[in-house]
Amino acid sequence: MIQQAVNQVLQPIFDATFSNNSFGFRPKRSAHQAITRAKTYYEQGYKYVVDIDMKAYFDTVNHDKLMYYIEQKVQDKRVLCLTRLYLKSGIMVNGLFEPSEEGTRQGGNLSPLLSNIYLNEFDKLLPKRGYKFVRYADDCNIYVKSMRAGYRVMEKSIKFLEEELKLTVNREKSAVGSPMKRKFLGFCIMPMRNGVKIRPHQQAKLSVKQKLRKLTKRNRGKSTEVILKQIKQLMTGWLNYYGISVMKRFINELNGWLKHRLRQYIWKQWKKPKTRYRNLVQLGIDKQKAYEWSNTRKGYWRISASYILHRPLTDKELARLGYIDISKKYQFVHSNY
DNA sequence: ATCTCGGGAAC
RNA sequence: AUUGUUCCCGAGAU
């Protein structure tokens, strides 16, 4: 509550001083802008990335250094006091409340801003050395033209971060590599025939598929209507974020797979042969065939794969039930970029 | 233009 | 699992 007030005071003061290449936790700045900046670097020939990740970032910020940076810009004693109080207020460890000499409370209102104030020192250093970089919170990417340059830059950066800022770099997660392979904000960068493009990282693709799979599990006693609504809001949100990327093939595959799963789900909901029969007839199947199909013993998946369900449950029928065609939605969203 | 709630995403 | 900042979408209120 009181932290929010402090945040509102500090935010505008410090945000003005932050680097143009820092995008995390800042007003009017999004992950899209960050990945777009990275893409620009790639287009300019910086085809290797030094990806530096801080270990337990929020826990390792040095209080005295941080307060020093704040004192440079803020004179108000009350604000300084409150900030120090906030820093001292402790972090949660294994559910226990521990007072802390280091670190800022995870999930605290001030933490994101404080992390930016702290890492702003790193942001100031990088351009001095002529490095192209993008930072989003503790995820810092420096773009260089060769692997060799990359290793050199990484070494120097780690040295600065650990010796000057007293942070711990996560060496497992940090690496020099190609932006084609490495994940940044859920995306990766890919040169194509018609230019450099942004794509969702493999992990992002897998995780959305997993979420859809969970939503369409047959176990849950939800109505088709509810399921379709949930799919709609999940995919609307997901495409709002990932729609910036080029992924026509993936989307088409996902769409086909999902419709397949939905038909299976609906068929399963018509539990008894009687309901199946009634629904099939209602959807315009002649009585003879409806009777045969409704008594079939094949597994649900095979049934929905077969033309049995495609005939009555056409794409049009799915749409009528509330299914949002992912391919069309993607094309629509993506056309804005 | 502000705000609440619901959802998606980054960290 | 929960919290936080920011961005985006939807619904609603003034």
Coordinates of all heavy atoms in Angstrom, one line a residue, chain A residues 10-19 26 73 120:
Chain A
L10 N 8.9 7.3 -7.3 CA 10.2 7.0 -7.9 C 10.1 6.6 -9.4 O 11.0 7.0 -10.2 CB 10.8 5.8 -7.2 CG 11.2 6.0 -5.7 CD1 11.9 4.8 -5.1 CD2 12.2 7.2 -5.6
Q11 N 9.0 6.0 -9.8 CA 8.9 5.5 -11.2 C 9.2 6.6 -12.2 O 10.1 6.4 -13.0 CB 7.4 5.0 -11.4 CG 7.1 4.6 -12.8 CD 7.3 3.1 -13.0 OE1 8.4 2.6 -13.3 NE2 6.3 2.3 -12.7
P12 N 8.5 7.8 -12.2 CA 8.7 8.8 -13.2 C 10.1 9.4 -13.1 O 10.7 9.7 -14.2 CB 7.7 9.8 -13.0 CG 7.1 9.6 -11.6 CD 7.4 8.1 -11.3
I13 N 10.7 9.5 -11.9 CA 12.0 10.1 -11.8 C 13.0 9.2 -12.5 O 13.9 9.7 -13.2 CB 12.3 10.3 -10.3 CG1 11.4 11.3 -9.6 CG2 13.8 10.7 -10.1 CD1 11.5 11.3 -8.1
F14 N 13.0 7.9 -12.2 CA 14.0 7.0 -12.7 C 13.8 6.6 -14.1 O 14.7 6.4 -14.8 CB 14.2 5.8 -11.7 CG 15.0 6.2 -10.5 CD1 14.4 6.5 -9.3 CD2 16.4 6.2 -10.6 CE1 15.2 6.9 -8.2 CE2 17.2 6.5 -9.6 CZ 16.6 6.9 -8.4
D15 N 12.5 6.4 -14.4 CA 12.2 5.9 -15.8 C 12.8 6.8 -16.8 O 13.3 6.3 -17.9 CB 10.7 5.7 -16.0 CG 10.4 4.8 -17.1 OD1 10.6 3.6 -17.0 OD2 10.1 5.3 -18.2
A16 N 12.9 8.1 -16.6 CA 13.4 9.0 -17.5 C 14.9 8.8 -17.7 O 15.5 9.1 -18.8 CB 13.2 10.4 -17.1
T17 N 15.6 8.2 -16.7 CA 17.0 8.1 -16.8 C 17.4 6.7 -17.4 O 18.6 6.5 -17.6 CB 17.7 8.2 -15.4 OG1 17.4 7.0 -14.6 CG2 17.1 9.4 -14.7
F18 N 16.5 5.8 -17.5 CA 16.8 4.5 -18.0 C 17.2 4.4 -19.4 O 16.8 5.3 -20.2 CB 15.6 3.5 -17.7 CG 15.4 3.2 -16.3 CD1 14.1 2.7 -15.8 CD2 16.4 3.4 -15.3 CE1 13.9 2.5 -14.5 CE2 16.2 3.1 -14.0 CZ 14.9 2.6 -13.6
S19 N 17.9 3.3 -19.7 CA 18.4 3.1 -21.1 C 17.2 2.9 -22.1 O 16.2 2.3 -21.7 CB 19.3 1.9 -21.1 OG 19.5 1.5 -22.5
R26 N 8.7 -1.6 -17.4 CA 8.7 -0.1 -17.6 C 7.4 0.3 -18.3 O 7.0 -0.4 -19.2 CB 9.9 0.4 -18.4 CG 11.2 0.2 -17.7 CD 12.3 0.8 -18.5 NE 12.1 2.2 -18.9 CZ 12.9 2.8 -19.7 NH1 13.9 2.2 -20.3 NH2 12.7 4.1 -20.0
K73 N 19.6 10.6 -7.1 CA 18.5 11.3 -7.8 C 17.4 11.8 -6.9 O 16.6 12.7 -7.2 CB 17.8 10.3 -8.8 CG 18.6 9.9 -10.0 CD 18.5 10.9 -11.1 CE 19.6 10.7 -12.1 NZ 19.8 11.9 -13.0
N120 N 20.5 -0.5 -14.2 CA 20.8 0.7 -15.1 C 22.3 1.0 -15.2 O 22.8 1.5 -16.2 CB 20.0 1.9 -14.5 CG 20.0 3.0 -15.5 OD1 20.0 2.8 -16.7 ND2 20.0 4.2 -15.0

